[in-house]
Amino acid sequence: MTFSLKRTMAIFQKDYKDVSKNMYVSFTVVIPIFMAFLYGWQGNMTIDMHYVVFNMTLSLVGAYVQCSLIAEEKEKNTLRGLMLSPASTLEILAGKSLLTFITTMIIIVLSAYIVDYQPESMGLVAVGMILSAIFYIGLGTLLGLVTKSVMEASVVIMPFFFIFTFGSFAAGLAEKFPILKVAEYMPNSQLVELAKAVEAGGGFGDVWTYLAVISAWIAASFLLAYATFKKRMMD
Amino acid sequence: MSILKINDLEKHEEHSLVFPAFCLEVSEHEVVAIHSSTNVRTVLVKLFLGELPVSSGELSINGQELTKSKDAYFDQVGMYLLDDGLYERLSVKDHFSFFQKLYGSELSMDEALRMTQLEPKRNIRLSRLTASEKRRVHFGRLLFQNPALFIFEEPDQNTDLETKRVFLKLVRKLSEKGKGVLVLTGNMESALSVTDKVCRLDETGLHVLDVVFDEETTDAPSKEEFKSEDQIIEEEIIIQPVRFEKIPTKVNDKIVLFDPPEIDYIESNEGQSNIYIKGEMYPSVFTMTELENRLHPYGFFRCHRSYIVNLQKVREVVTWTRNSFTLVLGDAKKSSIPLSKTKMAELKGMLGLK
């Protein structure tokens, strides 16, 4: 079986048209931009505050849109049609992930522009963002496979949304509660640390550990998603 | 060369038999309908989809078996299933262009729109279409897929006339192109409208129905001709040296022939005699008296002025009062049939009771 870019693009275009008419999802996409405006008006923001917006974008757009795209196919009984078509599972997921990825990137660039965020090294931050987006897409795929409808998906995503958006604050409490030290290794905290290191003028040598941890999260989410998929298809 | 090959396929569910081993082949240019209950149909569909394993027997499409190569198998077959969904927010055009790219089809959009009669609706969202129009979008999907075998599950259930017409035209075109078509339905009328090759599948096995194309009504003769032809037929029957063994019934423009033992009972309603077989009603072309005479040798009994019953199927004789009786049949519906008190004595005599 060869990977067909044509079929992937067909699924991408179909989903793009579908999502653009779906108020339920497109409204969610707009929320981070609202947040960016709110923070932007307040002015002189810290790195932490910038990254609340970015992490919110990643979890709301990256994970939630991916999750609802898959959940809706299941809810409307269209996934079986796709599975019976010549398109392989990989092509179906690639088409959907591509859409989510592009949307996430657009929203991040937009909100970065709104909050006037200019990192010292654009390249390193971009790599961090892209890796994070891939992790959240993996997470969204995993949740989409577990949930059965868009409604269920929007409930399931909530705890993840809170953990990954505001979880980085938990690291601040780590002195009081040693257990919260774990929070430092969350992908969102790692992204913030990376940004801080970049802001302090660090090069690739200083930030590669953060990128490595995020990559480990990516591997974990994709492995889990794959395992879930295998298990679900057996039913 | 046959496209669909079913060999000794058999299915048990828990401890009950869904259908015994049967063989069926659908070859190129052929349209076959399987008339069955919903339960049997669901099991069949699941077997085709691979959701239920084929435990005994073989099922192959164009030589491809599901267990050997899933992709090659699903390349050969296109299915329209009742619970298939569509993208409610996309227009018909969006759907067709998606299917076109997904299946890498050569079929042009206009051609598909024309064949499904959806041209005026091309820019309308699916959520605003009627259920019948949505079904035509599904048919469009199969056109783009263009597999060797088409399977339709209840294609014209609850649809408007336009969709029925589109479907019949589509099936005719597909069979002309050398495709195999299999229609699964619970409605005998819909099965007969699609094809002459109708099988009935139930727990007793697969029975092929004898369908004779009725040319009388298709030619639409005048009343007088009709009458004279009727007379000719009657005369022929009288002349016929061998007794005619099958009982003809009329469904639309076709005559379906039944073996007398298949019949459960016959009911007369406003001068029309209706033959009941497995809960389905078929209007008969004969009068009650004619039927009684024909069926008497097969163990049929005129138990009431407007009922003839197949005695083999009678399970119980219920006595309500001294003068009122009911016959309960052993069929799935446990049909009950009135028995006149004058006929009771005759029945007792036939049963060897005093």
Side-chain angles (χ1 to χ4, degrees), chain B residues 40-55:
Chain B
V40 172
R41 196 190 70 219
T42 320
V43 171
L44 260 186
V45 165
K46 281 188 178 164
L47 286 172
F48 280 122
L49 278 176
E51 283 173 14
L52 282 176
V54 177
S55 42

Side-chain angles (χ1 to χ4, degrees), chain A residues 1 6-7 10-11 13-14 17-19 21-22 72-73 76-78 80-82 84-87, chain B residues 49 51 71 74-75 81 83-91 94 97-98 101-104 125 145:
Chain A
M1 189 173 18
K6 207 178 148 201
R7 286 197 284 266
I11 290 164
Q13 283 166 5
K14 186 263 305 171
K17 281 182 194 152
D18 198 40
V19 164
K21 288 176 187 164
N22 187 348
E72 187 168 25
E73 294 265 8
K76 299 273 165 67
N77 262 331
T78 46
R80 186 177 59 195
L82 275 185
L84 295 184
S85 77
Chain B
L49 278 176
E51 283 173 14
D71 295 313
F74 284 120
D75 270 350
L81 305 178
D83 57 348
D84 272 344
L86 292 162
Y87 305 98
E88 297 281 310
R89 283 181 288 273
L90 296 186
S91 69
D94 292 336
S97 79
F98 171 56
K101 284 178 202 146
L102 187 67
Y103 293 109
R125 279 187 191 194
Q145 189 184 352

Side-chain angles (χ1 to χ4, degrees), chain B residues 2-11 19-26 44 47-48 52-68 73 149 182:
Chain B
S2 59
I3 295 175
L4 172 71
K5 231 185 227 167
I6 296 178
N7 213 350
D8 286 332
L9 189 69
E10 184 180 19
K11 194 74 207 170
F19 50 80
F22 73 97
C23 300
L24 178 73
E25 287 197 5
V26 180
L44 260 186
L47 286 172
F48 280 122
L52 282 176
V54 177
S55 42
S56 73
E58 288 170 58
L59 194 159
S60 69
I61 298 172
N62 247 358
Q64 302 291 349
E65 273 178 59
L66 183 70
T67 41
K68 285 193 188 130
Y73 173 85
L149 178 75
L182 181 68

